[in-house]
Amino acid sequence: MNSIIFMGPPGAGKGTQAKILCDTLGIPQISTGDILRAAVKNGTQMGLEAKKYMDAGDLVPDSVVIGIIKDRLVEPDCKNGFLLDGFPRTVEQADALDKILNTEGLKIKRAINLEVPDDELLQRLLKRAEIEGRSDDNETTIKSRLDTYNKKTLPLLDYYAAKGNLSRVNGVGNLDTVTKLIEKELA
């Protein structure tokens, strides 16, 4: 079973690479960002609550995100595996995920961290904001998101390294090169 976590700062290419990999492996991509943005767009109660945090560049509270993930992982399309894109983002979320998976008799096969320097990330995200018109991609919010990532999410690298299932992948380069590096780590 392929149960994979994609980690990396905002703009590292997690979503792009996840789509490619999920098509290849025949597993669903579970993107908390996509789920939360859809809830915001649809104006749901959870979406309105999440929007306050997202617009400020902060992480959405664990209680909201963990509930979403728990519900999603028990859906039938996850029986052969899944790729989590953007979750967990904190050690507390990783612990909660482990508890959810243990209940189902599952574990994470590989945690892949896409590594990209901050100056490259800033340029990528500003370009994405231009193309997609995302309110959470302005320079101030991007810097706040990168700072939040560096403070709260980087400890996850130690968490998964201690479990022996962390792979660090250079996320700078052309799409095919990065995809091949990821596939090599999963082989």
Side-chain angles (χ1 to χ4, degrees):
M1 175 160 151
N2 286 304
S3 47
I4 303 161
I5 294 174
F6 262 22
M7 298 185 302
K14 296 181 300 288
T16 302
Q17 289 295 336
K19 283 178 181 57
I20 294 167
L21 204 57
C22 288
D23 286 346
T24 303
L25 298 174
I27 59 174
Q29 173 189 1
I30 301 172
S31 165
T32 52
D34 288 349
I35 292 168
L36 290 169
R37 279 188 290 278
V40 168
K41 184 178 179 184
N42 295 331
T44 67
Q45 184 177 349
M46 181 193 71
L48 296 173
E49 182 67 20
K51 187 176 187 330
K52 290 186 250 176
Y53 296 95
M54 292 165 68
D55 284 348
D58 293 331
L59 296 178
V60 177
D62 286 355
S63 58
V64 174
V65 179
I66 291 165
I68 291 169
I69 294 297
K70 184 176 183 181
D71 291 345
R72 182 64 182 92
L73 291 180
V74 296
E75 291 185 21
D77 65 337
C78 291
K79 72 179 185 329
N80 294 321
F82 50 84
L83 186 148
L84 289 170
D85 167 10
F87 182 88
R89 290 192 176 180
T90 65
V91 171
E92 294 78 17
Q93 287 180 353
D95 283 334
L97 176 62
D98 284 346
K99 287 177 184 150
I100 293 167
L101 294 174
N102 286 338
T103 303
E104 301 297 320
L106 303 171
K107 65 179 186 170
I108 295 300
K109 174 183 176 182
R110 181 71 39 208
I112 295 175
N113 188 57
L114 288 177
E115 300 185 344
V116 179
D118 283 359
D119 58 337
E120 170 78 11
L121 293 169
L122 181 61
Q123 294 312 308
R124 286 182 185 186
L125 290 169
L126 288 172
K127 184 175 181 180
R128 181 173 81 183
E130 254 180 61
I131 296 167
E132 296 180 15
R134 285 175 47 174
S135 66
D136 59 336
D137 281 346
N138 60 65
E139 190 163 348
T140 303
T141 305
I142 290 167
K143 287 180 178 176
S144 174
R145 288 168 64 202
L146 291 175
D147 186 53
T148 299
Y149 173 81
N150 289 326
K151 287 179 182 164
K152 294 188 176 183
T153 307
L154 278 179
L156 280 175
L157 300 182
D158 292 335
Y159 181 89
Y160 286 108
K163 291 181 172 285
N165 60 359
L166 176 68
S167 293
R168 294 172 177 257
V169 174
N170 182 354
V172 179
N174 74 45
L175 190 63
D176 291 339
T177 301
V178 176
T179 302
K180 283 181 176 47
L181 290 171
I182 293 167
E183 289 172 340
K184 182 179 174 188
E185 293 298 320
L186 292 173

